[in-house]
Each structure stands twice: as structure tokens, then as C-alpha cells.
Amino acid sequence: MALHLIVGAGPVGSATARLLADRGERVRLVTRRGGGPAHPGVERIAADATDAGRLAELATGAATLYNCANPAYHRWTTDWPPLAGAMLAAAERSGAVLATVGNLYGYGPVDAPMTESTPLRPNSVKGQVRVRMWTDALAAHRAGRVRVTEVRGSDYLGAGAQSMMTMLVLPRVAAGKRALVPADLDAPHSWTYVGDVARTLVAVAGEERGWGRPWHVPSPPAVSIRELAARAAALAGAPAPRLARMPGPVFRLGGLFDPTAKEMREMAYQFDRPFLLDATATTATFGIDPTPLDDALAATLPAPHPASA
């Protein structure tokens, strides 16, 4: 029974902890406040993950150190470097495999489906942060100091997931309300289920053939925001969705009052064109198929209110 150390109890960290614990593995989950899923197989610990020494101590004897952390969106440039550096150092000191949850920001705007071989050409500050994290880890791997891997998914679906779809669209669609979306409503877009991120993360971390390269998370066939909203409405028993594209000035105005909205502006290119994820290599190598889209949506939608007596 191996020990696994997970940093971060967001949707992916929690899903990974449950997946491993349900398999009978020992799971140690680290967050600043000691939170996370209440599971008999999950040991929850409060610690500062930027403290490489403390993290290395917690990782002693661990097979894998999973980086499932996610600093506040508007603090990536300040918070990610010390956090990623500490996790890389802790993995090196402890001998644990470092498995990181990444994303697609590093590729920048592309006009074809993204594969793991797509060049890293970020056009955003946040994309540059993610690329630096990966290149530092890969350099350490190639130098023989540590074993690393990274999984990359598209915008998330699933309980607790935070994305444009889960924050701006699905709650309003389920409630039968009009939704304004700063996006091309008809461009095909890949959506990734957090449960599939966890499955992919555990699979690639656990085998030598998964190390030293990134892997894309298998995701259902791409659909537009309009189609996804229609499917969500049908599942929720809600009226047909009423969607409209949010005017640019309104989107920019929102950034004056909400730091997350402000940070989303540099990533708007992902929603102005087809945004397609190709995970063929992951499915072929590890036999992972994506969760059906309607199942992922059902896990994302707000729980229905019980009918009043």
C-alpha cells in the first residue's frame, strides 16, 4: 500500500484523493488549513506548501507528490513560482514522482487541435508562468534529479469546477435565466471532466512510461457553448437556454471590480475560435476513455431543490 502526497483540495485534488483512497492507497492531503474530503483513507494536514523542507518531510516514503494546487487567478505571477519551486525541491529530496496538473495556456492561440507535440508559445502572462513551471521540472527530470510528469486538460466540468461555463453559464441556465457570455457561442470547444483529470494523473504518475513528458486528459468530443448549454438545460429540466454574447465593453468593465474577471481577459482568445484538445496518445497508451459529456454535466449542475410539501 503506497503513500501518496497531494497538495491542494480543489476539485481535482479532492477527486484524486478519493480515487486513491478508494483503491486502498494511503493518502496524505496538504492544504493551508487542513481541508479536503472527509474520507477514512485520507489524512488531512495543514501546512504551507511553499516550505520545501516541510513538504519534503511530509513526502518521505511517498511514491508520488501530486501538484493539484491552484493559487488565486490574479496572483499566479507571485504565488506560483515559490509553490512550484517548493514542490519540485520536495520531490527531489524525497524521491517521489512529481505529477503536476497543468493546462493548455502554454500553447497560446492555435488553429488546429492541440496535441502534446504542439509548440509551447504562450501569448499570456499566465501561459508564461505555466511554461516556466514545466520547463523547470523537465530540466530537472532530464538531469536525473527527479521524475516528473504533467497532465493538461481544457476548461473543467465537474462538482466545484471553476471555469467560464460553470461560473457564468450553467447556474443561470439551470435557473432558467438569461446568460451573457464573453465568447463565440457556436465555436466548438473541448471540455474536460475533473474526474478524468484525476484518473489520468494517477495513471501517468504510476508508470515509468508516463514520466518525462506531458499528457492530455481524454475529453469528450468538442461542442459549442450553445450546445453544451442546451444539453445542460435538458438535464436540469430547465427551459431552453437564453444566451447572448457579452459586449466587449461590459466584459472590460467587469474587470474593474472583479480581479478574476480582469485576469480572464488575456485568455479570451480561447473562446473566440475553435479550441480543440487531442488526447489520442493518452487513450492509446493508458486505455483511458473520457466520461460521457452528459454524465460530466450531471455532476456539474447545481443540485435540484427538493419540492416543497
Side-chain angles (χ1 to χ4, degrees):
M1 184 169 59
L3 171 65
H4 300 267
L5 180 66
I6 301 172
V7 177
V12 174
S14 293
T16 303
R18 292 190 191 96
L19 176 62
L20 288 165
D22 287 345
R23 291 182 179 181
E25 305 286 355
R26 293 174 56 207
V27 178
R28 187 171 287 163
L29 181 61
V30 175
T31 64
R32 191 173 294 275
R33 297 180 179 84
H39 189 293
V42 177
E43 176 189 9
R44 296 175 293 178
I45 295 177
D48 180 359
T50 65
D51 183 340
R54 174 60 172 151
L55 206 57
E57 177 186 332
L58 292 170
T60 300
T64 309
L65 168 55
Y66 295 93
N67 177 357
C68 300
N70 191 23
Y73 208 46
H74 64 289
R75 293 188 55 86
W76 276 26
T77 55
T78 56
D79 290 4
W80 257 131
L83 187 56
M87 280 191 258
L88 183 58
E92 184 174 352
R93 294 180 196 177
S94 67
V97 174
L98 176 62
T100 297
V101 180
N103 60 26
L104 307 179
Y105 291 6
Y107 299 127
V110 296
D111 294 318
M114 290 166 280
T115 72
E116 295 89 340
S117 298
T118 299
L120 294 173
R121 294 171 180 164
N123 68 327
S124 64
V125 172
K126 285 182 285 296
Q128 292 167 5
V129 169
R130 297 301 318 204
V131 168
R132 179 62 183 270
M133 287 170 57
W134 172 241
T135 54
D136 286 350
L138 187 58
H141 176 93
R142 289 174 173 170
R145 292 164 32 208
V146 66
R147 297 161 296 165
V148 307
T149 187
E150 179 170 289
V151 303
R152 300 170 182 164
S154 191
D155 295 270
Y156 287 168
L157 296 174
Q162 292 189 333
S163 66
M164 181 184 295
M165 198 71 192
T166 62
M167 292 187 292
L168 297 182
V169 181
L170 295 183
R172 299 190 67 81
V173 167
K177 298 179 180 179
R178 182 170 180 259
L180 289 176
V181 193
D184 181 339
L185 301 176
D186 298 301
H189 196 97
S190 292
W191 309 94
T192 300
Y193 177 50
V194 294
D196 294 336
V197 182
R199 289 196 298 137
T200 304
L201 190 65
V202 170
V204 305
E207 296 191 35
E208 184 174 354
R209 59 182 174 168
W211 306 337
R213 56 159 290 176
W215 299 89
H216 285 176
V217 179
S219 303
V223 300
S224 68
I225 290 174
R226 195 184 304 279
E227 182 178 346
L228 192 65
R231 294 173 75 160
L235 286 170
R242 293 175 293 142
L243 306 178
R245 182 157 190 168
M246 181 183 293
V250 174
F251 188 31
R252 290 189 291 272
L253 182 64
L256 298 177
F257 306 98
D258 184 332
T260 299
K262 180 180 179 180
E263 292 299 319
M264 288 173 64
R265 288 182 350 211
E266 73 168 358
M267 310 313 304
Y269 72 88
Q270 298 183 356
F271 293 93
D272 282 338
R273 68 188 71 199
F275 193 74
L276 308 176
L277 174 67
D278 184 330
T280 303
T282 305
T283 296
T285 305
F286 296 97
I288 299 172
D289 291 313
T291 296
L293 185 58
D294 283 353
D295 292 346
L297 271 175
T300 310
L301 290 166
H305 296 293
S308 56

